[in-house]
């Protein structure tokens, strides 16, 4: 552009524009992404190969790499972050002193060691050396080991053992034969076990159904001894030897004949009648009624009737004899309540009740619910049989007096002897080993002494007295079982016989038969409270014994918190 002056004015002339400058600008040149004037355009990034992969974890452009990191280091999910400091390590990392190692004491009983394993998290269980060696090249015979484990668990569960002890035995057998990654599961009628050889192999699962149950503590003790030998490193028990011993245990006959069982039933009912204030005539009447009920129940069992109807039929003869003695009050003066109560003592399912409550307290709620439901059905069968007879007695104007429950006859020496006779009878009916009968009898006598001292002498409520006596029974039973390396059931189940709520059950049924439903429900609620006190006391005594004795687990290890209330 040039300037020239003419007559008094300044004229400005423009230079001719280039041809391309006079062309209209395209839309691309006017884009919002075009750098404004005065800004240096960025250098385009080099084109990448189509085969080159990118990662969302790659460091973006313009961000400096952390100092000290190698240029070609490969990232890993297990590599600690660059912000990690060993001096200020977060609690998620392993501390410098390490994690306490769990050591299982070999001198502890196998069920205590395996119970410790079951109660600790799976990630913290130690991998113990197998007690029974196998061919290193072929490895353990997985199907046969699982089958043997299920057969042993079936015998224990059918014999009335708790779910936790059954799982402990199954766990001990599997680990003894080299199957470490196994998980047993026990319910009321189903046993299953799963074994996973490694993290990349498919698991092997096997199960077995328990259809029949029988009370034979001699067989139970033999199974415990077999598991003890299998889990002992100094005893060589091959799979063939274990199968042979298991077959012998199944074929073994009961240690007591049928006539001894019937006599024990009569002695049990007679001893129970003495506990509630009966005399010699009451003793004979209660024993006769219990024997007749036992024979009728055996007859029904031979015909294939379910156990519900067997309990209903077995409860009728003692109640019928009590009503007959009441109708003949002009000839003989007998406490009919003591006769009926003695017959009920022989039928109350104390063993199943203790096992059910124990399963619930140890966290096996499905098995506990099933056991307690079974106890309820048995109890309903007993109630039905007694109520039928009592209703007929009321219709015949029998003088059944509910106020007899308030009459307490204290004869301590006779009652102590009767409690021991009752425990002895229970031990025979449970088919215990002869070497355990004396200990169970003495334990039952101690339980009644504690109950009588607290309730009759100290004036403490019967529920609290029953719980304290049952706790002592559980404590002594656990100590004896640890001394003998056997199950605690033979020392506990027979000893709780004198504490069973027979009289409260009878007077509740009598009140219902007399149309006093409220009083009957109150008495039956008391019977239920006494039964729960027995079961909880036995379990508490067992846990106290394990609490103060040497634990095979690591010191300072806390128990698992199942819930906090929400």
């Amino acid at each position: 552009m040039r300037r020239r002056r003419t007559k008094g004015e300044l004229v400005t002339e423009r230079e001719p524009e280039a041809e391309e400058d006079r062309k209209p600008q395209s839309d691309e040149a006017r884009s919002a992404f075009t750098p404004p004037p005065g800004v240096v355009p960025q250098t385009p990034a080099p084109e990448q190969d189509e085969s080159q992969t990118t990662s969302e974890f790659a460091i973006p452009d313009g961000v400096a790499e952390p100092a000290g990191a190698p240029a070609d280091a490969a990232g890993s999910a297990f590599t600690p972050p660059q912000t990690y400091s060993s001096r200020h390590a977060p609690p998620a990392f392993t501390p410098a002193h390490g994690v306490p190692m769990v050591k299982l004491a070999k001198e502890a009983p196998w069920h205590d060691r395996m119970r410790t394993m079951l109660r600790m998290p799976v990630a913290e269980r130690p991998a113990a050396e197998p007690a029974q060696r196998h061919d290193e090249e072929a490895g353990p015979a997985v199907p046969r080991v699982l089958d043997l484990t299920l057969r042993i668990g079936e015998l224990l569960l059918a014999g009335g053992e708790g779910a936790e002890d059954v799982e402990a035995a199954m766990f001990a057998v599997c680990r003894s034969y080299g199957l470490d990654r196994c998980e047993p599961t026990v319910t009321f009628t189903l046993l299953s076990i799963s074994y996973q050889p490694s993290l990349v192999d498919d698991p092997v699962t096997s199960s077995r159904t328990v259809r029949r149950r029988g009370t034979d503590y001699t067989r139970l003790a033999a199974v415990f001894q077999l598991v003890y030998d299998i889990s002992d490193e100094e005893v060589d028990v091959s799979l063939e030897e274990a199968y042979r011993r298991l077959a012998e245990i199944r074929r073994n006959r009961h240690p007591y004949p049928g006539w001894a069982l019937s006599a024990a039933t009569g002695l049990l009912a007679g001893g129970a009648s003495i506990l509630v204030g009966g005399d010699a005539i009451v003793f004979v009447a209660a024993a006769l009624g219990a024997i007749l009920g036992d024979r009728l129940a055996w007859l029904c069992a031979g015909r294939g009737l379910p156990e519900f109807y067997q309990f209903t039929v077995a409860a009728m003869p003692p109640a019928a004899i009590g009503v007959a003695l009441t109708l003949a009050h002009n000839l003989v003066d007998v406490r009919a309540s003591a006769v009926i109560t003695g017959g009920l003592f022989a039928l109350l399912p104390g063993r199943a009740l203790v096992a059910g409550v124990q399963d619930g307290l140890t966290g096996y709620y499905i098995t506990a619910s099933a056991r307690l439901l079974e106890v309820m059905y048995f109890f309903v069968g007993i109630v039905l049989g007694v109520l039928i007879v009592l209703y007929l007695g009321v219709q015949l104007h029998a003088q059944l007096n509910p106020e007899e429950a308030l009459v307490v006859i204290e004869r301590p020496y006779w009652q102590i002897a009767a409690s021991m006779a009752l425990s002895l009878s229970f031990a025979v009916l449970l088919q215990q080993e002869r070497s355990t009968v004396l200990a169970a009898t003495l334990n039952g006598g101690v339980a009644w002494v504690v109950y009588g001292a607290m309730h009759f002498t100290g004036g403490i409520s019967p529920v609290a007295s029953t719980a304290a006596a049952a706790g002592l029974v559980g404590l002594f039973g656990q100590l004896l079982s640890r001394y003998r390396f056997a199950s605690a059931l033979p020392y506990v189940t027979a000893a709780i016989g004198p504490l069973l709520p027979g009289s409260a059950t009878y007077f509740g049924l009598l009140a219902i038969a007399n149309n006093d439903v409220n009083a009957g429900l109150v008495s039956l609620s008391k019977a239920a409270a006494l039964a729960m006190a027995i079961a909880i006391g036995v379990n508490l005594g067992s846990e106290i014994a394990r609490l103060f004795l040497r634990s095979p687990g690591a010191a300072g290890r806390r128990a698992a918190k199942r819930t906090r209330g929400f």
Side-chain angles (χ1 to χ4, degrees):
M1 183 174 58
R2 301 189 302 270
R3 297 182 180 182
R4 63 185 178 86
R5 184 180 297 278
T6 59
K7 299 178 180 179
E9 61 181 354
L10 184 64
V11 179
T12 303
E13 295 180 359
R14 296 180 177 273
E15 295 179 356
E17 298 178 355
E19 186 67 25
E20 56 271 9
D21 291 341
R22 293 194 299 268
K23 291 180 180 180
Q25 299 291 330
S26 65
D27 293 339
E28 184 181 0
R30 300 175 184 274
S31 172
F33 299 99
T34 303
V39 177
V40 180
Q42 298 179 355
T43 305
E47 294 185 1
Q48 297 181 353
D49 244 355
E50 292 184 0
S51 61
Q52 183 176 356
T53 59
T54 60
S55 172
E56 58 181 352
F57 299 103
I59 301 176
D61 296 335
V63 179
E65 293 187 2
D72 56 347
S76 172
F78 301 98
T79 303
Q82 298 298 329
T83 57
Y84 169 70
S85 173
S86 59
R87 190 177 296 255
H88 306 287
F93 293 89
T94 304
H97 55 77
V99 178
M101 184 178 64
V102 179
K103 295 181 179 179
L104 298 179
K106 295 183 179 180
E107 62 271 12
W110 64 263
H111 42 283
D112 279 356
R113 289 186 280 118
M114 294 301 107
R115 188 182 292 110
T116 302
M117 297 282 290
L118 290 174
R119 292 185 179 183
M120 81 172 50
V122 178
E124 300 180 10
R125 293 176 182 173
E129 290 291 331
Q132 303 300 327
R133 303 299 176 181
H134 51 76
D135 189 359
E136 297 294 340
E137 297 181 359
V142 176
R144 296 193 67 193
V145 172
L146 296 183
D147 179 70
L148 175 66
T149 303
L150 290 174
R151 290 177 183 274
I152 290 176
E154 179 190 8
L155 285 179
L156 293 175
L157 187 63
E161 194 64 69
E164 187 178 32
D165 291 328
V166 176
E167 283 195 2
M170 297 171 66
F171 204 68
V173 174
C174 283
R175 290 178 67 88
S176 298
Y177 285 107
L179 306 186
D180 285 339
R181 302 180 187 90
C182 59
E183 284 297 327
T185 303
V186 175
T187 59
F188 186 57
T189 58
L190 181 66
L191 297 169
S192 65
I193 188 166
S194 177
Y195 168 68
Q196 189 171 11
S198 66
L199 295 177
V200 296
D201 293 330
D202 295 332
V204 180
T205 303
S206 183
S207 61
R208 193 175 185 88
T209 302
V210 180
R211 302 192 182 276
R212 295 188 62 183
R213 290 177 179 80
T215 305
D216 190 342
Y217 283 179
T218 301
R219 179 180 297 175
L220 192 69
V223 176
F224 259 73
Q225 183 63 39
L226 174 60
V227 178
Y228 174 75
D229 292 340
I230 290 176
S231 58
D232 191 358
E233 296 180 357
E234 299 179 357
V235 181
D236 185 15
V237 182
S238 63
L239 283 174
E240 289 74 14
E241 177 67 16
Y243 269 106
R244 185 190 64 79
R245 290 179 57 177
L246 195 63
E248 289 181 357
I249 292 172
R250 286 181 174 274
R251 288 195 302 266
N252 281 347
R253 299 179 61 85
H254 299 308
Y256 303 103
W259 64 266
L261 298 180
S262 297
T265 302
L267 180 61
L268 191 156
S273 65
I274 298 297
L275 285 180
V276 294
D279 51 13
I281 298 178
V282 170
F283 180 92
V284 174
L288 179 61
I291 292 174
L292 290 177
D294 179 70
R295 291 296 92 190
L296 286 177
W298 275 104
L299 181 62
C300 294
R303 297 290 181 178
L305 286 179
E307 287 184 303
F308 175 85
Y309 301 105
Q310 296 177 28
F311 274 83
T312 302
V313 171
M316 288 183 175
I321 291 178
V323 171
L325 292 176
T326 303
L327 292 174
H329 64 279
N330 295 328
L331 301 177
V332 59
D333 186 13
V334 176
R335 293 189 64 185
S337 61
V339 176
I340 301 176
T341 300
L344 291 179
F345 264 85
L347 298 175
L348 293 178
R351 172 183 57 87
L353 174 67
V354 171
V357 175
Q358 180 181 356
D359 289 342
L361 294 177
T362 51
Y364 296 84
Y365 301 113
I366 297 178
T367 308
S369 302
R371 288 186 189 271
L372 293 178
L373 186 62
E374 181 189 40
V375 171
M376 188 193 72
Y377 271 104
F378 290 165
F379 191 76
V380 170
I382 296 170
V383 167
L384 184 61
V386 176
L387 272 180
I388 292 175
V389 176
L390 290 181
Y391 181 76
L392 293 176
V394 170
Q395 298 301 317
L396 295 174
H397 305 287
Q399 301 297 324
L400 299 172
N401 187 11
E403 296 181 356
E404 287 181 348
L406 302 177
V407 179
V408 178
I409 301 177
E410 297 184 15
R411 290 178 295 182
Y413 296 108
W414 281 101
Q415 289 174 337
I416 292 174
S419 65
M420 296 178 66
L422 193 149
S423 299
L424 173 65
S425 304
F426 261 120
V428 174
L429 290 175
L430 294 173
Q431 302 283 354
Q432 293 186 195
E433 290 183 301
R434 290 179 173 85
S435 60
T436 64
V437 171
L438 179 60
T441 302
L442 295 177
N443 203 8
V446 171
W448 181 258
V449 169
V450 173
Y451 172 79
M454 294 182 65
H455 178 54
F456 298 118
T457 306
I460 303 175
S461 67
V463 176
S465 304
T466 301
L472 200 62
V473 167
L475 178 62
F476 287 166
Q478 191 61 227
L479 293 176
L480 289 171
S481 69
R482 290 176 65 93
Y483 176 73
R484 297 288 300 273
F485 286 86
S487 172
L489 287 181
Y491 304 101
V492 170
T493 307
I496 64 172
L499 305 176
L500 292 176
S503 58
T505 303
Y506 163 69
F507 287 109
L509 300 180
L510 179 58
I512 294 176
N514 287 327
N515 293 327
D516 193 355
V517 179
N518 293 331
L521 293 178
V522 169
S523 185
L524 290 179
S525 301
K526 178 182 176 182
L530 291 173
M532 292 297 294
I534 293 172
I536 295 175
V538 168
N539 182 263
L540 182 60
S542 301
E543 294 297 332
I544 289 175
R546 300 190 189 105
L547 182 65
F548 290 101
L549 293 174
R550 181 178 179 181
S551 175
R557 184 172 301 276
R558 297 178 298 176
K561 295 181 176 63
R562 298 183 181 274
T563 178
R564 289 186 179 271
F566 50 82

